[in-house]
Amino acid sequence: MGQVVTVVGGGLAGSECALQLARRGLGVRLCEQRPAKASPAHHGALLAELVCSNSLKSTKPDSAAGLLKWELGLMGSELLEVARTCAVPAGGALAVDRDRFSAAVTERVESSPLIEVVREEVTSIPEGPCVIAAGPLCSDALFSAIAERVGGERMSFYDAAAPIVDADSLDRSVVFEQSRYGGEGAGDYLNCPMGREEYDAFMEALLSAERVIARDFEQADLFCACQPVEEVARTGHDSLRFGAMKPVGLVDPRTGRRPWAAVQLRAESASRAAYNLVGFQTNLTWPEQRRVFRMIPGLGEAEFLRYGVMHRNSFVDTPHTLDATFAIPGTRARLAGQITGTEGYVEAIASGLLAALNMAAELAGCEPVRLPATGALGSLVAYATDPQTTGYQPMHVNFGLFPPLENPPRNKAERRAALAERGRADLAAYVGSRPDLFAGAAR
């Protein structure tokens, strides 16, 4: 088989990395601890399991998330291709049937003649070339080994997942299909409308409910994009009504008017047999989830297929411990995925692809990958590896990371469109300049 690279972790980053290395003729030993050792958030043994939402966020070309997907398509992402074949209706977002997606990725990895899947826990940094994509739930032993090697202080944050309910248990006389403003993907979401008194009662119950981790969190403990709904509620009585439960663009067919608040449900699979409560990540105990969330109109008899959970995630201080290619200085190991603080499903896939490219370049004696900082992935990497970055916290791709335009339009939509256009042009030029790594990559 020739040169073999060890990849630790069979999540999104590890699976993408393994497939990309195999495409370039390298042997891969992919180590995944499940099912021999379970994690607090995973539910099965399939690779690339989505443990939180089933949404990979926006596909709109002028959004940062949409631009990242375009970039991954240009660079030949394997998992993005799988995700598109497993898509479920989600308006302007890419959401997937999580079971089909994980099964398809697992089949693709296991069918590769260059990838050996080893089901065992890795407790130390492997010898030889390796990519550690163990995720934010990296085992204590391995994370301790990494922390000892990089000499950085251990850092962590709390993450949460939303509950999933059985579609047959919803009250369809109350719940209605509609996307906000009747736009793209109308009917892809279900909506549970609330009146003012219903909202007030719900907020009171939510704030007084029993939590699994019974303490008030410091904001530094919580990753903002996955804060428990009850923690958001603590910031103000109207915080949910202007956030996850905002009713703008919706019309309750029973009244012909906009509701006071609304809970949106997103399909978990193409069959729409199950729905995720959008924005309802939670730390409530399971009995309290049943009691409080069944107060939502239309969910009075809801059957919970999965309760919301909360767990502690870990990541390294990337700007001050890794080099520009996410490698641990002085070793043949590099990190990928959420353990580096690049937060989000698609960002994890992207970092796995990038790790594979840099590993392939290193083994071939080529220049490392230097993505333009004007793009979605390039700007995220620049932020995550800049020693000037202080107070490092997990970060999604966003236009706030992009270098400013020389003559930016005053209109926000036009400005974002210009940023995306510049990013696409610069990345296309870079990919074209590196046939050694990207020949025939686009999918």
Side-chain angles (χ1 to χ4, degrees), residues 126-373:
E127 297 292 333
C130 70
V131 175
I132 300 174
L137 293 172
C138 177
S139 70
D140 289 341
L142 180 56
F143 195 88
S144 295
I146 296 170
E148 180 179 357
R149 184 64 183 81
V150 301
E153 181 180 355
R154 181 168 180 156
M155 304 172 66
S156 58
F157 66 101
Y158 280 94
D159 196 5
I164 296 172
V165 294
D166 187 337
D168 289 338
S169 67
L170 305 178
D171 184 350
R172 296 305 181 114
S173 69
V174 177
V175 177
F176 62 94
E177 294 185 1
Q178 189 181 117
S179 291
R180 288 193 172 94
Y181 303 108
E184 182 181 357
D188 288 351
Y189 289 84
L190 299 182
N191 302 276
C192 305
M194 275 190 186
R196 184 169 188 168
E197 292 183 358
E198 291 171 321
Y199 178 80
D200 292 344
F202 175 77
M203 288 292 287
E204 181 179 352
L206 181 63
L207 291 171
S208 62
E210 182 181 356
R211 292 169 285 169
V212 175
I213 303 174
R215 71 177 179 87
D216 291 327
F217 290 94
E218 298 294 336
Q219 287 301 310
D221 291 331
L222 297 164
F223 175 50
C224 62
C226 288
Q227 287 196 68
V229 65
E230 61 273 11
E231 295 299 325
V232 178
R234 293 179 200 286
T235 66
H237 185 73
D238 288 322
S239 56
L240 294 181
R241 198 166 70 83
F242 290 100
M245 296 174 64
K246 63 180 180 289
V248 294
L250 300 175
V251 177
D252 186 345
R254 299 176 302 169
T255 65
R257 299 190 302 272
R258 186 174 77 179
W260 183 254
V263 175
Q264 285 205 307
L265 310 178
R266 182 180 55 241
E268 278 289 305
S269 64
S271 65
R272 304 191 187 190
Y275 282 84
N276 185 294
L277 276 65
V278 178
F280 271 64
Q281 300 90 350
T282 184
N283 174 43
L284 299 187
T285 65
W286 291 2
E288 289 289 72
Q289 289 184 48
R290 287 194 299 270
R291 180 180 69 86
V292 176
F293 296 154
R294 281 177 176 171
M295 294 176 65
I296 298 170
L299 302 188
E301 302 295 330
E303 294 182 15
F304 290 81
L305 301 178
R306 187 192 75 185
Y307 289 100
V309 295
M310 191 167 185
H311 45 269
R312 190 177 181 90
N313 286 348
S314 300
F315 62 98
V316 300
D317 185 7
T318 297
H320 307 107
T321 57
L322 306 180
D323 70 13
T325 69
F326 292 92
I328 300 175
T331 75
R332 302 190 71 188
R334 53 179 31 89
L335 305 188
Q338 289 178 287
I339 196 172
T340 67
T342 52
E343 173 64 27
Y345 287 155
V346 183
E347 288 85 344
I349 293 171
S351 71
L353 190 156
L354 186 59
L357 293 174
N358 274 314
M359 183 60 75
E362 176 186 320
L363 295 176
C366 301
E367 288 294 315
V369 178
R370 305 290 187 191
L371 297 178

Side-chain angles (χ1 to χ4, degrees), residues 12 41-43 46-56 82-83 86-88 95-106 161-164 266-270 274-277 306 345:
L12 296 170
H42 290 87
H43 296 273
L46 292 176
L47 303 178
E49 180 180 334
L50 304 182
V51 300
C52 190
S53 166
N54 68 324
S55 174
L56 277 65
V82 174
C86 299
V88 298
V96 300
D97 181 318
R98 68 175 76 223
D99 293 332
R100 283 182 55 213
F101 173 75
S102 295
V105 172
T106 302
I164 296 172
R266 182 180 55 241
E268 278 289 305
S269 64
Y275 282 84
N276 185 294
L277 276 65
R306 187 192 75 185
Y345 287 155

Side-chain angles (χ1 to χ4, degrees), residues 53-75:
S53 166
N54 68 324
S55 174
L56 277 65
K57 302 200 296 188
S58 178
T59 58
K60 296 179 180 178
D62 294 340
S63 68
L67 176 60
L68 180 58
K69 293 178 183 62
W70 181 89
E71 292 177 0
L72 286 179
L74 182 67
M75 292 188 287

